[in-house]
Amino acid sequence: MVVRLNSFTFHSVPSLALPPMTTQRSKFYMTSTLYSSTKRAEKCLGHPSALNVRVARTMPAEKVEIFKSMEDWARNNVLTLLKPVEQCWQPQDFLPNPSLDGFVEQVHELRQRTRDIPDDYFVVLVGDMITEEALPTYQTRINSTEIFHDETGVDITPWAIWARAWSAEENRHGDLLNKYLFLSGRVDMKQIEKTTQHLIGSGMDIGTGKNPYLWTIYTSFQERAAFISHGNTAKLAVQHGDVKLAQVCGMIASDEKRHESAYTKIAEKLFELDPNEMVMTFADMMRRKISMPAHLMYDGHDHNLFDHFAIVASRIGVYTAKDYREIVELLVDKWKVEKLTGLSSEGREAQDYVCRLAQRLRRLEERALAKAQKAPTIPFSWISGRVV
């Protein structure tokens, strides 16, 4: 997602008052950025946007060796966060059972529970579901990342095992939300399906390239954001009287929390083994801002669909500028960035930038929240053109 000066967008904040940092990017990571003259709003196939074109050098041998040295640690500390399939919940656990005689009655009960839930809640739930449904893009992205890539499709490195199993766990999220929304009768499924197809076809530009250092920073942040978003939709579902939907969102949030733990653990270990590279990578990622996976969302009508979805999410309290700032604070604290020592001059500059970032974001918070509250209502095709 490209951050704008005049609006708060989902999982981000305006770049106003965030001066550029002069620290060089990670030495083995070279970027080249090209800008098209097309409007940023044109975010779909046939409507190219001003995306970043990044070229990454191959990782030097010493960096590869760091990850190789972590493999036994990863087996004991990362893979253990995965759940065996037989212990995982499945979408059918929370849905009407079509094999039972009472299926029609169960569907009727679901529709009764969702009948009075506000449209703005459904807009956010649909946006979250579409984000989850674009899993093929995320699998492609992780498999394009050095170290995490799975060359044969059945590699036995802990990184490849994690990538496949993480994707398998994530796959249940979109399945469950999709079926629940379908059965509710409250949304236009064809428009939702078109949006999902557009999104997968458009891909995503998150600024990590092939760099596994950037990938671990990005995913640590993004999984935390997903946990917050799904957790808040669960709380709102309770307020709206659908306890079953709250359970659905809560179970998804629980998965996201485990995945957050895995990625933050990997990053924490890298901070221990290669603190200078990691702190510069952290600063580099935060300077780019965190672009959420669905930032190229498009339904065939609204070229600013993601921004509009983000405004509604902020307005109802599912994900706000405050959440973004608090994630920054959480990661700085968890990785003990302030206490890092033995850094290069570039590393110390990056450390200072990251440690001061939350304070800068706090000054922008109220303005961003106010903008979301004052934004005009607009129609969403996902809810048959109704305005929220």
Side-chain angles (χ1 to χ4, degrees):
M1 178 193 63
V2 179
V3 178
R4 300 168 62 184
L5 292 175
N6 62 349
S7 68
F8 166 72
T9 45
F10 196 52
H11 297 304
S12 189
V13 293
S15 55
L16 182 66
L18 296 181
M21 191 185 72
T22 58
T23 300
Q24 295 180 347
R25 290 181 173 85
S26 305
K27 292 181 180 178
F28 67 88
Y29 188 71
M30 176 179 68
T31 61
S32 167
T33 305
L34 303 178
Y35 296 95
S36 75
S37 59
T38 310
K39 294 180 181 179
R40 189 193 70 81
E42 297 176 341
K43 300 177 178 177
C44 62
L45 291 177
H47 300 274
S49 63
L51 298 180
N52 296 323
V53 179
R54 308 187 188 284
V55 180
R57 296 188 181 124
T58 300
M59 284 179 64
E62 63 269 21
K63 301 299 182 184
V64 174
E65 285 303 313
I66 288 174
F67 280 92
K68 285 188 176 295
S69 74
M70 291 171 58
E71 289 189 355
D72 286 341
W73 172 88
R75 290 186 181 93
N76 294 323
N77 293 274
V78 177
L79 297 188
T80 52
L81 291 169
L82 296 166
K83 284 188 175 182
V85 173
E86 295 306 318
Q87 296 179 20
C88 285
W89 59 265
Q90 297 300 331
Q92 187 54 58
D93 296 335
F94 305 98
L95 297 166
N97 191 334
S99 67
L100 298 179
D101 290 339
F103 174 68
V104 174
E105 289 75 16
Q106 291 177 24
V107 172
H108 178 72
E109 290 174 5
L110 187 155
R111 292 168 74 94
Q112 287 293 108
R113 292 196 307 269
T114 59
R115 182 181 59 186
D116 297 324
I117 296 178
D119 281 339
D120 53 8
Y121 179 89
F122 274 103
V123 165
V124 175
L125 193 65
V126 167
D128 284 352
M129 182 272 282
I130 291 169
T131 302
E132 297 286 354
E133 289 279 68
L135 182 63
T137 299
Y138 316 146
Q139 175 66 28
T140 300
R141 183 67 268 156
I142 193 171
N143 207 37
S144 301
T145 302
E146 294 195 59
I147 301 301
F148 289 92
H149 58 195
D150 185 355
E151 292 184 359
T152 66
V154 290
D155 283 3
I156 60 172
T157 69
W159 315 114
I161 292 170
W162 165 263
R164 294 194 300 268
W166 168 74
S167 296
E169 290 192 353
E170 289 279 341
N171 185 61
R172 299 167 302 146
H173 302 171
D175 282 353
L176 176 52
L177 291 174
N178 188 311
K179 291 170 183 173
Y180 204 96
L181 286 163
F182 170 78
L183 292 172
S184 77
R186 289 291 308 278
V187 297
D188 185 331
M189 288 304 300
K190 185 170 183 179
Q191 283 301 128
I192 291 170
E193 290 158 357
K194 287 169 63 178
T195 306
T196 302
Q197 185 174 352
H198 275 298
L199 180 58
I200 295 173
S202 296
M204 67 178 185
D205 177 44
I206 57 175
T208 59
K210 297 181 179 181
N211 187 326
Y213 286 78
L214 284 167
W215 174 257
T216 57
I217 296 290
Y218 175 83
T219 49
S220 295
F221 194 108
Q222 191 277 328
E223 292 286 7
R224 180 68 183 183
F227 162 71
I228 291 170
S229 182
H230 288 299
N232 284 331
T233 55
K235 294 174 184 175
L236 288 173
V238 172
Q239 294 177 23
H240 297 316
D242 191 343
V243 176
K244 181 66 74 173
L245 179 55
Q247 189 180 12
V248 165
C249 297
M251 293 303 292
I252 294 173
S254 179
D255 277 358
E256 303 292 8
K257 181 63 177 174
R258 282 191 297 108
H259 299 163
E260 174 203 340
S261 295
Y263 284 115
T264 56
K265 279 178 177 286
I266 296 170
E268 186 175 16
K269 190 66 174 177
L270 286 169
F271 267 107
E272 175 188 327
L273 299 175
D274 197 1
N276 204 65
E277 188 72 50
M278 276 299 282
V279 74
M280 289 195 295
T281 301
F282 192 10
D284 187 18
M285 194 76 252
M286 298 317 301
R287 288 182 66 221
R288 301 169 191 269
K289 313 301 183 296
I290 299 295
S291 300
M292 284 298 105
H295 64 285
L296 298 182
M297 187 182 285
Y298 179 65
D299 62 351
H301 304 283
D302 184 356
H303 292 295
N304 290 306
L305 181 57
F306 184 84
D307 291 346
H308 293 151
F309 153 61
I311 287 169
V312 178
S314 178
R315 185 185 296 150
I316 69 173
V318 168
Y319 193 91
T320 70
K322 181 175 182 286
D323 295 310
Y324 188 101
R325 186 257 304 165
E326 288 181 344
I327 295 175
V328 173
E329 290 178 327
L330 176 79
L331 296 179
V332 168
D333 181 65
K334 184 174 184 63
W335 295 330
K336 299 179 175 61
V337 178
E338 290 188 56
K339 298 180 180 178
L340 295 177
T341 58
L343 302 175
S344 66
S345 59
E346 293 89 351
R348 290 192 299 273
E349 187 178 350
Q351 180 185 40
D352 181 68
Y353 177 84
V354 170
C355 291
R356 292 176 182 270
L357 181 58
Q359 182 180 352
R360 296 170 179 171
L361 294 175
R362 189 184 294 272
R363 292 198 294 265
L364 302 171
E365 208 169 283
E366 287 188 17
R367 188 187 312 173
L369 292 170
K371 278 186 175 293
Q373 293 299 325
K374 295 176 181 178
T377 57
I378 64 163
F380 280 85
S381 66
W382 303 336
I383 53 173
S384 303
R386 296 191 296 276
V387 173
V388 299

